[in-house]
Amino acid sequence: MEALLRISSRENAAVKLYRRLALSKKARKQLGLFVLEGLRLTADALQNGAHLTQLLWTEEGYARWNAECACTCPPETRCALISDAVGAELSQTEHAQGVYAICRMPEQPLLSELLRKGGTYAILHQLQDPGNAGMLLRTADAFGLDGVIYSACCEIYSPKVVRATMGSLFRVPVYCTAEIAPVLAACRALDIETCTAVVGGDAERVGQCAFSASTAVLIGNEGNGLPEEVVSACDRRVTIPMHGTIESLNAAMAAGIILWEVKRTKNGVQ
Protein backbone atom coordinates (compact mmCIF):
# COMPACT_ATOMS: atom_id res chain seq x y z
CA MET A 1 0.00 0.00 0.00
CA GLU A 2 2.99 2.31 0.57
CA ALA A 3 3.67 2.36 -3.19
CA LEU A 4 0.26 3.82 -3.97
CA LEU A 5 -0.13 7.50 -4.66
CA ARG A 6 -2.02 9.20 -1.82
CA ILE A 7 -4.52 11.95 -2.57
CA SER A 8 -5.94 14.27 0.06
CA SER A 9 -6.85 17.29 -2.08
CA ARG A 10 -10.24 17.77 -3.69
CA GLU A 11 -8.40 19.71 -6.40
CA ASN A 12 -6.41 16.68 -7.56
CA ALA A 13 -6.88 16.12 -11.32
CA ALA A 14 -8.21 12.56 -10.94
CA VAL A 15 -10.69 13.62 -8.26
CA LYS A 16 -11.89 16.56 -10.33
CA LEU A 17 -12.30 14.34 -13.41
CA TYR A 18 -14.31 11.76 -11.46
CA ARG A 19 -16.57 14.46 -10.06
CA ARG A 20 -17.03 16.03 -13.50
CA LEU A 21 -17.94 12.70 -15.09
CA ALA A 22 -20.36 11.88 -12.29
CA LEU A 23 -22.25 15.13 -12.77
CA SER A 24 -22.05 15.89 -16.49
CA LYS A 25 -23.62 13.92 -19.35
CA LYS A 26 -21.80 16.23 -21.75
CA ALA A 27 -18.43 15.39 -20.22
CA ARG A 28 -19.15 11.66 -20.34
CA LYS A 29 -20.07 11.88 -24.02
CA GLN A 30 -17.11 14.06 -24.95
CA LEU A 31 -14.52 11.95 -23.13
CA GLY A 32 -16.08 8.52 -23.63
CA LEU A 33 -15.72 7.84 -19.91
CA PHE A 34 -18.11 7.14 -17.02
CA VAL A 35 -17.81 6.43 -13.30
CA LEU A 36 -18.33 3.41 -11.10
CA GLU A 37 -18.87 3.37 -7.36
CA GLY A 38 -18.71 0.34 -5.10
CA LEU A 39 -16.71 -2.84 -4.75
CA ARG A 40 -18.97 -5.29 -6.58
CA LEU A 41 -19.66 -3.04 -9.56
CA THR A 42 -15.98 -2.23 -10.02
CA ALA A 43 -14.98 -5.88 -9.67
CA ASP A 44 -17.62 -6.91 -12.22
CA ALA A 45 -16.23 -4.35 -14.64
CA LEU A 46 -12.72 -5.80 -14.38
CA GLN A 47 -13.89 -9.41 -14.51
CA ASN A 48 -15.76 -8.70 -17.74
CA GLY A 49 -12.89 -6.97 -19.48
CA ALA A 50 -13.89 -3.33 -19.01
CA HIS A 51 -11.13 -0.77 -19.41
CA LEU A 52 -10.65 1.09 -16.12
CA THR A 53 -8.46 4.14 -16.51
CA GLN A 54 -8.45 5.10 -12.82
CA LEU A 55 -9.11 3.37 -9.49
CA LEU A 56 -9.48 5.33 -6.26
CA TRP A 57 -9.80 3.75 -2.81
CA THR A 58 -10.15 5.04 0.70
CA GLU A 59 -8.06 2.98 3.11
CA GLU A 60 -11.20 1.11 4.18
CA GLY A 61 -12.11 0.54 0.54
CA TYR A 62 -8.62 -0.74 -0.22
CA ALA A 63 -8.86 -3.21 2.67
CA ARG A 64 -12.23 -4.47 1.35
CA TRP A 65 -10.81 -4.80 -2.15
CA ASN A 66 -7.93 -6.96 -0.94
CA ALA A 67 -10.16 -9.04 1.35
CA GLU A 68 -13.10 -9.67 -0.99
CA CYS A 69 -12.03 -9.11 -4.57
CA ALA A 70 -10.08 -11.64 -6.63
CA CYS A 71 -9.49 -9.09 -9.40
CA THR A 72 -6.11 -7.53 -9.89
CA CYS A 73 -5.73 -4.17 -11.54
CA PRO A 74 -4.23 -4.18 -15.02
CA PRO A 75 -0.97 -2.24 -15.42
CA GLU A 76 -2.63 0.54 -17.44
CA THR A 77 -5.05 1.40 -14.61
CA ARG A 78 -3.83 4.27 -12.47
CA CYS A 79 -4.42 3.56 -8.78
CA ALA A 80 -4.43 5.82 -5.76
CA LEU A 81 -5.50 6.03 -2.13
CA ILE A 82 -7.78 8.94 -1.27
CA SER A 83 -8.63 10.46 2.08
CA ASP A 84 -12.01 9.81 3.70
CA ALA A 85 -12.91 13.46 3.07
CA VAL A 86 -12.26 13.09 -0.66
CA GLY A 87 -14.20 9.82 -0.69
CA ALA A 88 -17.17 11.54 0.93
CA GLU A 89 -16.96 14.19 -1.79
CA LEU A 90 -17.13 11.56 -4.53
CA SER A 91 -19.76 9.22 -3.10
CA GLN A 92 -23.31 9.30 -4.47
CA THR A 93 -24.60 6.36 -2.43
CA GLU A 94 -26.07 6.14 1.05
CA HIS A 95 -23.59 3.53 2.25
CA ALA A 96 -20.26 4.32 0.63
CA GLN A 97 -17.77 1.47 0.24
CA GLY A 98 -14.76 3.64 -0.56
CA VAL A 99 -14.16 2.21 -4.05
CA TYR A 100 -14.38 4.51 -7.09
CA ALA A 101 -13.36 3.99 -10.70
CA ILE A 102 -13.33 5.76 -14.04
CA CYS A 103 -14.22 3.43 -16.91
CA ARG A 104 -13.94 3.79 -20.67
CA MET A 105 -17.21 3.32 -22.55
CA PRO A 106 -17.14 0.12 -24.63
CA GLU A 107 -17.38 0.49 -28.38
CA GLN A 108 -21.00 0.11 -29.44
CA PRO A 109 -21.64 -2.84 -31.78
CA LEU A 110 -23.18 -2.22 -35.18
CA LEU A 111 -26.88 -3.00 -35.31
CA SER A 112 -26.11 -5.57 -38.01
CA GLU A 113 -23.68 -7.26 -35.62
CA LEU A 114 -26.08 -7.29 -32.68
CA LEU A 115 -29.22 -8.63 -34.38
CA ARG A 116 -29.35 -12.20 -35.65
CA LYS A 117 -31.95 -14.81 -36.50
CA GLY A 118 -32.86 -16.88 -33.47
CA GLY A 119 -31.99 -14.10 -31.06
CA THR A 120 -34.10 -12.64 -28.25
CA TYR A 121 -33.99 -8.90 -27.62
CA ALA A 122 -35.54 -6.12 -25.58
CA ILE A 123 -36.16 -2.83 -27.37
CA LEU A 124 -36.77 0.01 -24.94
CA HIS A 125 -38.30 3.16 -26.39
CA GLN A 126 -38.41 6.52 -24.62
CA LEU A 127 -37.74 5.11 -21.14
CA GLN A 128 -36.77 7.99 -18.86
CA ASP A 129 -36.48 6.43 -15.40
CA PRO A 130 -32.86 5.44 -14.61
CA GLY A 131 -34.00 2.66 -12.27
CA ASN A 132 -36.13 1.07 -14.97
CA ALA A 133 -33.40 1.42 -17.58
CA GLY A 134 -30.89 -0.32 -15.33
CA MET A 135 -33.29 -2.96 -14.01
CA LEU A 136 -34.27 -3.96 -17.54
CA LEU A 137 -30.63 -4.63 -18.38
CA ARG A 138 -30.36 -6.82 -15.26
CA THR A 139 -33.48 -8.68 -16.40
CA ALA A 140 -31.98 -9.21 -19.85
CA ASP A 141 -28.83 -10.56 -18.22
CA ALA A 142 -30.80 -12.92 -15.97
CA PHE A 143 -32.80 -14.36 -18.88
CA GLY A 144 -29.85 -14.65 -21.25
CA LEU A 145 -31.06 -12.17 -23.86
CA ASP A 146 -28.86 -11.54 -26.88
CA GLY A 147 -28.99 -7.77 -26.54
CA VAL A 148 -30.85 -4.69 -25.37
CA ILE A 149 -31.59 -1.71 -27.59
CA TYR A 150 -32.24 1.69 -26.02
CA SER A 151 -34.13 4.01 -28.37
CA ALA A 152 -34.53 7.66 -27.33
CA CYS A 153 -34.06 6.64 -23.68
CA CYS A 154 -32.27 8.18 -20.74
CA GLU A 155 -28.48 7.95 -20.84
CA ILE A 156 -27.31 4.48 -19.82
CA TYR A 157 -23.93 5.68 -18.57
CA SER A 158 -25.37 8.01 -15.94
CA PRO A 159 -24.35 6.91 -12.41
CA LYS A 160 -27.94 6.00 -11.46
CA VAL A 161 -28.44 3.72 -14.46
CA VAL A 162 -25.00 2.14 -14.06
CA ARG A 163 -25.69 1.34 -10.39
CA ALA A 164 -29.12 -0.08 -11.23
CA THR A 165 -27.59 -2.53 -13.73
CA MET A 166 -25.52 -4.06 -10.89
CA GLY A 167 -22.83 -5.14 -13.34
CA SER A 168 -25.09 -6.37 -16.15
CA LEU A 169 -23.93 -3.40 -18.24
CA PHE A 170 -20.66 -5.31 -18.71
CA ARG A 171 -22.28 -8.62 -19.70
CA VAL A 172 -25.13 -7.78 -22.07
CA PRO A 173 -24.59 -6.29 -25.56
CA VAL A 174 -26.16 -2.81 -25.69
CA TYR A 175 -27.07 -0.59 -28.62
CA CYS A 176 -28.24 3.02 -28.16
CA THR A 177 -29.95 5.08 -30.83
CA ALA A 178 -32.12 8.17 -31.15
CA GLU A 179 -34.31 6.61 -33.86
CA ILE A 180 -36.39 3.44 -33.61
CA ALA A 181 -37.40 3.12 -37.29
CA PRO A 182 -34.03 1.67 -38.45
CA VAL A 183 -34.17 -0.86 -35.59
CA LEU A 184 -37.62 -2.10 -36.63
CA ALA A 185 -36.52 -2.24 -40.26
CA ALA A 186 -33.49 -4.35 -39.31
CA CYS A 187 -35.72 -6.71 -37.33
CA ARG A 188 -38.04 -7.15 -40.32
CA ALA A 189 -35.09 -7.88 -42.61
CA LEU A 190 -33.96 -10.69 -40.29
CA ASP A 191 -37.47 -12.05 -39.59
CA ILE A 192 -37.19 -11.10 -35.94
CA GLU A 193 -40.78 -10.86 -34.71
CA THR A 194 -41.49 -7.56 -32.95
CA CYS A 195 -43.96 -7.73 -30.05
CA THR A 196 -45.19 -4.55 -28.43
CA ALA A 197 -46.32 -4.47 -24.80
CA VAL A 198 -49.65 -2.65 -24.59
CA VAL A 199 -52.42 -2.20 -22.05
CA GLY A 200 -55.51 -4.32 -22.71
CA GLY A 201 -57.53 -4.00 -25.90
CA ASP A 202 -57.54 -6.85 -28.36
CA ALA A 203 -53.90 -7.75 -27.72
CA GLU A 204 -52.80 -11.35 -27.18
CA ARG A 205 -52.62 -12.33 -23.54
CA VAL A 206 -49.23 -13.20 -22.13
CA GLY A 207 -49.36 -16.74 -20.75
CA GLN A 208 -51.79 -17.82 -23.44
CA CYS A 209 -49.64 -17.22 -26.51
CA ALA A 210 -46.36 -18.58 -27.83
CA PHE A 211 -43.45 -16.58 -29.17
CA SER A 212 -41.23 -17.30 -32.13
CA ALA A 213 -37.58 -18.34 -32.00
CA SER A 214 -36.59 -14.81 -33.09
CA THR A 215 -38.32 -12.23 -30.91
CA ALA A 216 -37.87 -8.62 -29.90
CA VAL A 217 -40.08 -7.27 -27.11
CA LEU A 218 -40.78 -3.53 -27.17
CA ILE A 219 -41.36 -1.64 -23.93
CA GLY A 220 -42.44 2.00 -23.95
CA ASN A 221 -42.33 5.08 -21.79
CA GLU A 222 -43.31 4.71 -18.12
CA GLY A 223 -46.26 7.07 -18.35
CA ASN A 224 -47.33 7.01 -21.99
CA GLY A 225 -46.35 3.57 -23.26
CA LEU A 226 -45.42 3.15 -26.91
CA PRO A 227 -46.51 5.68 -29.57
CA GLU A 228 -49.25 4.35 -31.82
CA GLU A 229 -47.03 4.64 -34.90
CA VAL A 230 -44.51 2.31 -33.27
CA VAL A 231 -47.21 -0.17 -32.22
CA SER A 232 -48.61 -0.16 -35.76
CA ALA A 233 -45.17 -0.83 -37.24
CA CYS A 234 -44.70 -4.01 -35.18
CA ASP A 235 -45.85 -7.58 -35.79
CA ARG A 236 -47.82 -8.34 -32.63
CA ARG A 237 -49.38 -6.69 -29.61
CA VAL A 238 -49.26 -8.49 -26.27
CA THR A 239 -50.69 -7.60 -22.89
CA ILE A 240 -50.42 -8.90 -19.32
CA PRO A 241 -53.85 -9.81 -17.87
CA MET A 242 -54.62 -7.72 -14.78
CA HIS A 243 -56.78 -8.42 -11.77
CA GLY A 244 -59.39 -5.96 -10.57
CA THR A 245 -58.99 -2.31 -11.53
CA ILE A 246 -55.21 -2.33 -12.03
CA GLU A 247 -54.44 -1.19 -15.58
CA SER A 248 -50.67 -1.48 -15.90
CA LEU A 249 -47.43 -2.49 -14.22
CA ASN A 250 -44.09 -0.80 -13.74
CA ALA A 251 -42.17 -0.92 -17.04
CA ALA A 252 -39.36 -3.08 -15.66
CA MET A 253 -41.78 -5.54 -14.05
CA ALA A 254 -43.91 -5.81 -17.18
CA ALA A 255 -40.82 -6.42 -19.28
CA GLY A 256 -39.65 -9.13 -16.89
CA ILE A 257 -42.95 -11.02 -17.12
CA ILE A 258 -43.10 -10.86 -20.91
CA LEU A 259 -39.44 -11.74 -21.41
CA TRP A 260 -39.80 -14.71 -19.07
CA GLU A 261 -42.68 -15.96 -21.21
CA VAL A 262 -40.64 -15.43 -24.37
CA LYS A 263 -37.76 -17.51 -23.01
CA ARG A 264 -40.13 -20.13 -21.55
CA THR A 265 -41.97 -20.78 -24.81
CA LYS A 266 -38.78 -20.52 -26.84
CA ASN A 267 -37.07 -23.14 -24.69
CA GLY A 268 -40.15 -25.37 -24.54
CA VAL A 269 -40.49 -25.09 -20.75
CA GLN A 270 -44.01 -25.87 -19.50
Side-chain angles (χ1 to χ4, degrees), residues 11-188:
E11 299 305 309
N12 174 271
V15 172
K16 290 173 70 175
L17 177 59
Y18 185 101
R19 193 163 55 231
R20 181 183 170 204
L21 293 169
L23 298 175
S24 171
K25 176 181 177 179
K26 182 179 179 180
R28 292 190 291 270
K29 184 176 181 180
Q30 285 180 338
L31 299 174
L33 300 169
F34 64 104
V35 299
L36 308 173
E37 179 179 347
L39 174 63
R40 193 78 278 130
L41 187 58
T42 305
D44 277 348
L46 281 175
Q47 288 169 352
N48 287 279
H51 181 189
L52 301 190
T53 63
Q54 180 79 60
L55 253 171
L56 302 169
W57 298 285
T58 62
E59 294 211 22
E60 182 181 357
Y62 186 80
R64 286 182 176 180
W65 182 269
N66 281 338
E68 301 179 36
C69 184
C71 289
T72 56
C73 299
E76 64 270 19
T77 302
R78 298 184 298 274
C79 300
L81 281 175
I82 57 176
S83 67
D84 289 342
V86 171
E89 179 91 5
L90 298 184
S91 180
Q92 295 184 316
T93 62
E94 186 176 351
H95 303 290
Q97 294 183 317
V99 180
Y100 310 91
I102 296 174
C103 185
R104 190 166 300 284
M105 293 179 185
E107 186 174 346
Q108 177 165 280
L110 297 174
L111 190 58
S112 58
E113 296 172 337
L114 178 64
L115 296 176
R116 62 172 179 82
K117 287 186 177 181
T120 303
Y121 303 91
I123 301 175
L124 315 177
H125 185 57
Q126 297 180 344
L127 277 186
Q128 295 304 312
D129 181 81
N132 281 334
M135 176 67 76
L136 277 159
L137 199 57
R138 287 178 61 196
T139 301
D141 190 12
F143 293 162
L145 266 62
D146 297 289
V148 175
I149 296 170
Y150 290 87
S151 165
C153 293
C154 60
E155 184 214 359
I156 66 166
Y157 292 109
S158 73
K160 287 184 179 179
V161 175
V162 171
R163 286 197 300 272
T165 71
M166 295 189 69
S168 293
L169 178 63
F170 305 108
R171 293 186 289 269
V172 180
V174 171
Y175 181 85
C176 299
T177 179
E179 302 292 336
I180 196 169
V183 176
L184 299 180
C187 288
R188 283 194 296 272

